[in-house]
Amino acid sequence: MGRPVDHVTEAPADRPAQAPAEAPATCPAGAPELFTWEFATDPYPAYAWLREHSPVHRTSLPSGVEAWLVTRYADARQALADARLSKNPAHHAEPAHAKGKTGIPGERKAELMTHLLNIDPPDHTRLRRLVSKAFTPRRVAAFAPRVQELTDGLIDRFAAEGRADLIHDFAFPLPIYAICDLLGVPREDQDDFRDWAGMMIRHGGGPRGGVARSVKKMRGYLAELIHRKRENPGDDLISGLIRASDHGEHLTENEAAAMAFILLFAGFETTVNLIGNGLYALLRNPEQRHRLQDSLDAGESGLLETGIEELLRYDGPVELATWRFATEPLTLGGRDIAVGDPVLVVLAAADRDPARFEDPDTLDLARRDNQHLGYGHGIHYCLGAPLARLEGRTALATLLRRLPDLRLAAEPADLRWRGGLIMRGLRTLPVEFGPRLARPISDVTSDL
């Protein structure tokens, strides 16, 4: 899970931009093209130019909304913790949110606005305190055997085939099933969530309006599930939210539904991309991959621990932190930000800032000085980061242990990255490996 701040997918355009929008008058000469397919494949050269020449950069997004992009580490860290930058879209100077140009399509109509990505203190403090109980180190550690069980079960499904798409077959279903278990979604209903989540991250690959329809379906299901949990509570997060509501924490049904929704919605795509981007980086850097395999074979865990942090920094799952809006005039990186202006912190650019990280474009799994911003900073630091790290470590270690000859089955230039603004992830990751013995599919299905 996770999302830097409290993470979530940006409202996807039905078609990612094929050409940049017309640049604002403030755009400096020589600025790189942003939000093209080429940019999505490798945004880091463009971000390096922005860091050097226009570190707080005003641009037109593919949706037509104008926003400030913050690309240097020091400015990014400041912006992520600045109370003058609100998460509440009501502070946007234009009614873009109501038109579906910011946030999650359909969340307003589905009455799912009151979640951690859209609120400020004191409501943010109250809701975060309630839900944080689900992500304590003890609770996450207790969940580790289930994550391992899910991981092995998914690998068993394709191990005998000698090939797989590690996004569709592995990185995508793992966090869906995990977060559903944590929230208390019955196993017989979890495939519905997988379908809805798939529509949400398809970013243009599905029918027009599909994201909003999936949000509506999920909202209806959550209302029904909350009612059932109130009648028959369990030891799960949704039941915990209901108990808090019943014991004076003033959690409304809409707030409970919105919290469950955002944890499902935001809690899977970051982990999908952590696993997918991380595996891709290892396959593209064989020396680092073999170094990690040797460490795992020796029964060591240190390199895996630092390696997850480095993969989050090097090509993390969240490219831009979610929306912030200035509530008063402020200066950031020498630029004057007006009241109501949207500000987007570019985590991917900040985490490759040479002013903060030595040799930032090199993958070094043993990197120690690594205070990356991959999961944000300040009060909106990703609530689900411990769970996402657990899933990432388990997934990578198990794949490398069980499929040691794993290799890319496509040319890097042929791989496509999902369109969108906030998240960064591959559409597919085809791999090959020597077939391995697998348990019968009936056993695997019962595990999941």
Side-chain angles (χ1 to χ4, degrees), residues 59-140:
T59 190
S60 291
L61 305 176
S63 64
V65 175
E66 288 198 4
W68 294 95
L69 304 182
V70 181
T71 57
R72 287 181 180 168
Y73 182 91
D75 296 332
R77 190 177 171 89
Q78 173 190 336
L80 290 172
D82 197 323
R84 297 170 296 178
L85 292 174
S86 168
K87 298 294 294 169
N88 191 336
H91 291 293
H92 192 184
E94 300 179 3
H97 190 277
K99 297 177 181 178
K101 293 183 178 181
T102 69
I104 305 168
E107 65 176 348
R108 181 182 295 276
K109 288 184 178 180
E111 297 183 307
L112 291 170
M113 291 290 294
T114 51
H115 56 68
L116 293 175
L117 289 176
N118 288 337
I119 57 176
D120 303 315
D123 286 336
H124 177 271
T125 307
R126 174 176 61 90
L127 293 180
R128 187 176 174 105
R129 182 181 67 250
L130 290 174
V131 77
S132 64
K133 298 171 185 176
F135 298 104
T136 62
R138 170 184 275 183
R139 182 96 181 231
V140 171

Side-chain angles (χ1 to χ4, degrees), residues 144-421:
R146 176 57 179 161
V147 173
Q148 185 66 64
E149 183 181 33
L150 287 168
T151 301
D152 281 318
L154 289 167
I155 295 174
D156 286 341
R157 287 183 168 186
F158 57 77
E161 300 299 321
R163 60 172 50 243
D165 171 6
L166 287 184
I167 302 298
H168 181 270
D169 298 327
F170 183 71
F172 176 69
L174 174 59
I176 284 289
Y177 292 134
I179 196 65
C180 281
D181 279 359
L182 194 67
L183 287 167
V185 176
R187 300 251 174 114
E188 62 269 22
D189 295 340
Q190 292 184 6
D191 283 339
D192 287 336
F193 274 89
R194 179 174 175 167
D195 292 342
W196 297 331
M199 181 61 68
M200 290 176 181
I201 73 168
R202 205 159 291 161
H203 290 244
R208 187 176 183 86
V211 176
R213 285 194 294 273
S214 293
V215 168
K216 183 177 180 181
K217 290 177 182 178
M218 190 177 287
R219 175 62 175 92
Y221 176 84
L222 288 172
E224 178 185 335
L225 183 61
I226 288 170
H227 177 74
R228 291 179 0 219
K229 295 286 184 182
R230 194 179 296 277
E231 298 293 326
N232 186 24
D235 184 24
D236 55 70
L237 179 53
I238 291 180
S239 296
L241 292 173
I242 293 169
R243 280 193 293 270
S245 178
D246 290 343
H247 288 85
E249 288 283 0
H250 307 297
L251 191 69
T252 68
E253 182 174 311
N254 276 348
E255 287 176 333
M259 288 298 300
F261 164 73
I262 204 61
L263 289 170
L264 281 162
F265 191 32
F268 76 91
E269 191 175 2
T270 47
T271 307
V272 174
N273 294 346
L274 169 59
I275 296 170
N277 296 4
L279 284 168
Y280 181 62
L282 291 174
L283 293 172
R284 297 293 308 278
N285 292 269
E287 180 181 345
Q288 292 294 308
R289 175 258 189 92
H290 292 310
R291 187 180 180 186
L292 179 56
Q293 282 185 297
D294 290 344
S295 174
L296 294 171
D297 290 343
E300 300 167 353
S301 62
L303 192 62
L304 179 63
E305 298 284 340
T306 59
I308 284 292
E309 302 309 310
E310 176 67 349
L311 293 170
L312 284 163
R313 182 202 67 81
Y314 179 77
D315 197 10
V318 184
E319 192 166 343
L320 283 76
T322 48
W323 296 83
R324 286 166 165 77
F325 307 95
T327 58
E328 59 183 86
L330 66 132
T331 300
L332 188 60
R335 301 302 296 270
D336 293 329
I337 311 296
V339 173
D341 277 0
V343 174
L344 291 166
V345 177
V346 188
L347 305 176
D351 280 342
R352 290 210 188 185
D353 187 345
R356 175 60 185 84
F357 300 99
E358 182 178 355
D359 202 7
D361 294 322
T362 297
L363 181 69
D364 178 6
L365 298 182
R367 190 184 295 271
R368 294 286 180 180
D369 182 16
N370 197 0
Q371 292 183 322
H372 63 79
L373 301 176
Y375 284 136
H377 172 66
I379 65 170
H380 291 284
Y381 182 83
C382 179
L383 189 64
L387 178 60
R389 286 184 167 102
L390 169 65
E391 292 173 349
R393 290 193 303 267
T394 304
L396 293 177
T398 306
L399 279 169
L400 293 178
R401 187 185 74 246
R402 293 191 56 184
L403 307 175
D405 58 343
L406 193 70
R407 56 193 179 274
L408 197 60
E411 292 297 323
D414 294 334
L415 297 179
R416 299 293 293 271
W417 296 78
R418 287 194 297 272
L421 186 64

